[in-house]
Amino acid sequence: MDIDTLYALRSSSGLPSHPAVFLILLVLTWALHMIAVHVMLGSTALALTGAFAANAHWRRLGSAMLDTAKVAVSLAIVIGVAPLLFVQVIYDPFWYVSNVLSARWAIGFIVVLLVAYWAMYHHYFVGKEGSSGSSRWSLALSLILLLAAGFIMHVLASQALRPELWMAWYAPDGHLETSGAGIHEFNLARFSFFIALAAPVTGAWLLGYRRYLAHREDENPEYLDWIAGLGRKLMTGGGFVVLICYAMWMATLQDTAGNFPLSLWSFLANGAILLLILAPALFRSPSGSYGAFATAAGAVLLVAVAREALRHRILGGAHGYELSTYTIHFDWYSNALFCLTFVGLGGFAIAYSIAISWEAGKTKGLYTASPRVDRLGKFALAALCIWIAQYFFFGFLVMAQ
Ligand code: HEM
C-alpha cells in the first residue's frame, strides 16, 4: 500500500491537538487497559482453580479472586475504550481497514464479551459458595471467551501492521472478498506474550493482597504465607515464561520490523520482564508488599512503550507513515473538556470506588462509609452533575448559533 493511499484514508477532519498528545495518551491508557486485563485473566484463572480444588486455601482464594475478577473485567472493558479512541484518532487508516477486513469478528467481539461477562456472573450468583456444581463450567467458559476477545483484539492489531498485504486479503486473485469473515494475520508468540504477562502481574497483585490482609487481626497466618508464596512463584516462574514468549515473538517478527529485536526499545522490554522476575527478591517482606504491584505496573508501561516503538518502526520505518503530517485544527474546548473529564470526573469516581472498596474490605460485618469516603462520593456525584450540565449547556449553545 503506497503512502499516498494511506494518507488518503485518514479522516479529513484532522486532529484537535498535536499527534504526540494522542500518542502519549494511547500508550498510557493501553498500559492501564493491559494491567486490568492481566489482573482480570489472572484472578479468573485463580478463581477457576479454586472452584475445582479440594484444598481449603485454594477454595478460599478462588472465592476472593472471583470478587477481584468481577471488578477487573469491568475495568478492562471500560479502560479499553480509551486506547480504542486514541488508536482510531492517530492510526485511523490502519485500524479501520483491519476492522473492515474482519468486520464480523470486530462485531462478534462484543457478543463474545457479553457472554463472557454473563458466564462469570452466572458462576458468581449460582455457585460462588458451594462451587462444586455445574456453574464452575460457566467460569471456565468465561475465561475461554475472555481469551477469545483478547485474540480478536490481537488479530485486529496485527492486521493493522500489514498494509502491504491488505489488497491480497481484500481481493484474493482479483475477486473481492467483502464478507469480513476472515482472520488474516496473527502471531501466536506475540499473543502468548501479552497473555502470559498475566501471571507475574497477578503474582504481584497477590503480594499486595497479602499485605492488605495483614491488617486483619483474626487472619490465618498459614493462609497468608501461602498467598505470598504463590504470588512469588507466579512472578518469577511466570516472568520466565514471558521471557520465552518474548524471544519467540522477536524471532518470528515480520520483515518490515527490521532489526527491532536489537533496538534499545527491545532491550527496554527485556529489562521490564527481568524486573518482574526479580521483583519478589526486591520486595521480600514476609507480610507482602504493594511495591511489587507498582513495579509490575511500571513494567507493563515499559512493555507498552516498546510495543508502540515497534508499530512506529513498521508503519513509519517501512511504510513512511508519519504522525507529524496530520492536519491539526486546535480545539481548546475539546482539549480542556477531555483533561477535566479525565482528572475531575474520572479521578473522583475512581478514587471513590477504590476508597470504598479499600475500607469495606477491612471492615468486619456491616460496613458504613467513613465521613471522608462519604464526602468523596458527594464530590464524585457533584462532578458528574456539573459535567452533564456543561454538556447540555454547550450543546444548546452550539445549536443556537
Ligand atoms: C476483556 C477482554 C480483553 C482482553 C483479554 C484484551 C486483550 C488485549 C490484548 C492481548 C491486546 C494486545 C494485542 C496485540 O497488540 O497483539 C489488546 C489490545 C487492545 N485492546 Fe484489549 N482486551 C480485552 C478487551 C478490550 C475491550 C473491551 C476494548 C475496548 C473497549 C479493548 C481495546 C483494546 C485496544 C484499543 C487495543 C490496542 C489496539 C492497538 O493498539 O492496535 N480491549 N487487548
Side-chain angles (χ1 to χ4, degrees):
M1 184 75 44
D2 64 277
I3 188 66
D4 291 331
T5 312
L6 288 176
Y7 284 151
L9 289 169
R10 278 178 173 177
S11 163
S12 52
S13 52
L15 304 185
S17 190
H18 195 278
V21 173
F22 294 103
L23 186 67
I24 293 168
L25 289 171
L26 169 62
V27 175
L28 270 179
T29 54
W30 186 76
L32 288 175
H33 167 58
M34 286 315 280
I35 292 167
V37 163
H38 291 140
V39 173
M40 169 194 84
L41 292 176
S43 54
T44 309
L46 292 175
L48 188 62
T49 314
F52 280 92
N55 175 298
H57 289 341
W58 264 113
R59 289 183 80 81
R60 185 175 166 195
L61 182 68
S63 174
M65 285 299 116
L66 186 59
D67 287 327
T68 304
K70 274 191 312 134
V71 179
V73 75
S74 313
L75 284 178
I77 294 172
V78 172
I79 301 176
V81 177
L84 186 62
L85 297 180
F86 298 126
V87 85
Q88 285 169 15
V89 170
I90 51 176
Y91 290 113
D92 44 344
F94 308 93
W95 185 254
Y96 286 122
V97 169
S98 181
N99 274 251
V100 168
L101 283 167
S102 298
R104 289 186 190 206
W105 293 96
I107 295 168
F109 171 78
I110 297 163
V111 181
V112 169
L113 268 184
L114 280 174
V115 180
Y117 210 81
W118 170 84
M120 186 180 282
Y121 269 86
H122 177 252
H123 174 67
Y124 178 73
F125 285 123
V126 175
K128 190 186 175 202
E129 296 307 328
S131 22
S132 52
S134 59
S135 81
R136 295 181 297 184
W137 293 104
S138 60
L139 188 60
L141 175 71
S142 178
L143 182 59
I144 293 169
L145 291 177
L146 289 173
L147 289 170
F151 185 71
I152 296 174
M153 274 296 142
H154 163 70
V155 167
L156 296 176
S158 301
Q159 291 178 173
L161 297 176
R162 283 296 203 172
E164 73 278 15
L165 299 177
W166 290 348
M167 278 312 290
W169 295 337
Y170 180 61
D173 302 322
H175 299 292
L176 294 190
E177 213 298 275
T178 55
S179 73
I183 282 190
H184 305 283
E185 176 89 1
F186 57 87
N187 177 330
L188 282 182
R190 173 176 170 145
F191 180 62
S192 309
F193 168 74
F194 287 123
I195 298 302
L197 268 170
V201 173
T202 309
W205 180 263
L206 287 184
L207 289 179
Y209 183 56
R210 161 71 181 87
R211 174 92 177 77
Y212 180 74
L213 291 182
H215 293 285
R216 289 200 188 155
E217 285 155 16
D218 56 348
E219 265 315 335
N220 173 0
E222 202 192 308
Y223 175 62
L224 296 183
D225 290 347
W226 178 80
I227 293 179
L230 182 64
R232 291 202 173 86
K233 270 187 228 152
L234 280 174
M235 282 204 90
T236 307
F240 276 114
V241 174
V242 170
L243 200 60
I244 295 168
C245 292
Y246 185 75
M248 283 162 55
W249 174 21
M250 290 298 110
T252 52
L253 267 186
Q254 60 201 71
D255 295 344
T256 44
N259 65 348
F260 181 83
L262 299 176
S263 68
L264 185 70
W265 304 109
S266 183
F267 282 108
L268 194 75
N270 276 297
I273 303 168
L274 285 179
L275 205 60
L276 289 169
I277 294 173
L278 295 175
L282 299 175
F283 302 97
R284 274 185 295 191
S285 162
S287 60
S289 124
Y290 297 127
F293 190 70
T295 307
V300 174
L301 181 60
L302 293 181
V303 166
V305 171
R307 175 180 177 273
E308 203 51 48
L310 173 63
R311 175 159 33 204
H312 184 259
R313 176 73 55 108
I314 295 170
L315 301 182
H319 295 279
Y321 184 81
E322 285 303 332
L323 293 179
S324 55
T325 55
Y326 261 106
T327 314
I328 301 173
H329 298 294
F330 200 82
D331 177 351
W332 277 109
Y333 172 70
S334 61
N335 278 284
L337 181 64
F338 172 79
C339 294
L340 288 174
T341 306
F342 198 65
V343 179
L345 195 63
F348 275 130
I350 289 176
Y352 176 64
S353 312
I354 292 175
I356 202 160
S357 330
W358 182 267
E359 274 194 355
K362 290 187 177 234
T363 311
K364 269 198 239 158
L366 189 68
Y367 164 70
T368 313
S370 67
R372 217 154 23 131
V373 171
D374 196 41
R375 220 172 308 131
L376 196 58
K378 287 194 177 113
F379 274 130
L381 198 64
L384 181 65
C385 292
I386 294 171
W387 195 95
I388 294 173
Q390 74 77 36
Y391 177 85
F392 283 107
F393 175 75
F394 281 101
F396 284 126
L397 209 67
V398 171
M399 274 168 58
Q401 277 176 356

